[in-house]
Amino acid sequence: MEITAFLDRKLARRFRTYDSDGDGFIGRDDFTQAGERTTKAFGLADDDPKAVRFHAMLIGLWEHLHSVTDQDHNGRISLEEYKKAFANGLLETPESFDDGYIPFLDAIMAIADEDGDGKLTLEEHITWTGALMNLSEGDARGIHDLLSDEDGLLSTRALLEAIREFYFSEDPAEAGNWLLGSLD
């Protein structure tokens, strides 16, 4: 996969959302801390089945990323290693992306979509993106406004389409490219 200047900016932004402690590296602790913040933000006990599933998905995501990106085997991922993994085909096609990402999105929605209707309210969206990815309320509001329907709700389908756009679209006009707010 070619890493264009635009994709490079998006990957750098995504990397920063993974890096919970801001040390310039992604480690297993970043994933566990993000999971704990998210389940606590929605009032779930550690043994709640939704929390258990979500934590398992996060650790699975960490293990996959770690196995394909940690070139120097030091237990953490640098921004350069992260970008190189994408250049080497970490995300080959939107379809292969879906195979790995849909179960993770389902686990997020099981927690964040509190009434189970398959749609996120503005507050649910702000809560999960803030807890999981440290997005500011302003960034979360902005993307929610871009992606939500006329009732102000963000469907799972619209969210998945936006995530695909984030990783695969080079068109800055597509809303998904701003899924994480400003790229700078």
Side-chain angles (χ1 to χ4, degrees):
M1 170 182 236
E2 177 188 353
I3 304 296
T4 65
F6 189 48
L7 180 57
D8 187 80
R9 288 176 57 212
K10 292 189 291 182
L11 292 176
R13 176 66 175 127
R14 182 62 179 118
F15 183 89
R16 289 190 308 272
T17 67
Y18 279 131
D19 184 11
S20 292
D21 59 12
D23 68 354
F25 294 92
I26 302 171
R28 183 182 178 105
D29 284 352
D30 292 310
F31 282 75
T32 57
Q33 290 169 14
E36 290 168 3
R37 284 192 312 267
T38 304
T39 55
K40 282 185 172 76
F42 286 95
L44 298 177
D46 291 340
D47 62 349
D48 184 293
K50 291 188 280 189
V52 170
R53 176 179 174 218
F54 182 66
H55 288 287
M57 294 298 293
L58 273 174
I59 294 306
L61 178 58
W62 158 252
E63 289 172 354
H64 176 69
L65 276 175
H66 178 257
S67 72
V68 298
T69 59
D70 186 12
Q71 299 297 309
D72 59 8
H73 307 289
N74 65 354
R76 59 190 195 165
I77 302 166
S78 69
L79 177 58
E80 293 73 30
E81 288 172 320
Y82 183 71
K83 289 178 183 178
K84 186 175 181 181
F86 280 88
N88 291 336
L90 180 62
L91 296 179
E92 294 179 18
T93 66
E95 294 77 25
S96 65
F97 172 77
D98 287 358
D99 291 342
Y101 205 85
I102 288 175
F104 182 69
L105 183 57
D106 288 344
I108 292 169
M109 291 298 287
I111 291 171
D113 178 16
E114 294 182 293
D115 65 4
D117 67 352
K119 297 179 179 183
L120 297 173
T121 65
L122 174 60
E123 291 307 314
E124 290 168 337
H125 184 81
I126 289 169
T127 301
W128 85 264
T129 58
L132 183 64
M133 299 181 292
N134 293 312
L135 290 190
S136 71
E137 183 176 331
D139 283 341
R141 282 181 183 280
I143 195 62
H144 188 86
D145 289 346
L146 283 173
L147 301 176
S148 61
D149 63 20
E150 63 277 353
D151 294 325
L153 299 173
L154 176 55
S155 71
T156 305
R157 180 181 175 99
L159 187 54
L160 181 60
E161 288 173 16
I163 295 166
R164 280 189 205 121
E165 287 173 3
F166 184 83
Y167 287 107
F168 295 101
S169 172
E170 283 294 311
D171 182 357
E174 290 193 41
N177 284 315
W178 308 104
L179 184 66
L180 303 175
S182 172
L183 299 179
D184 298 317

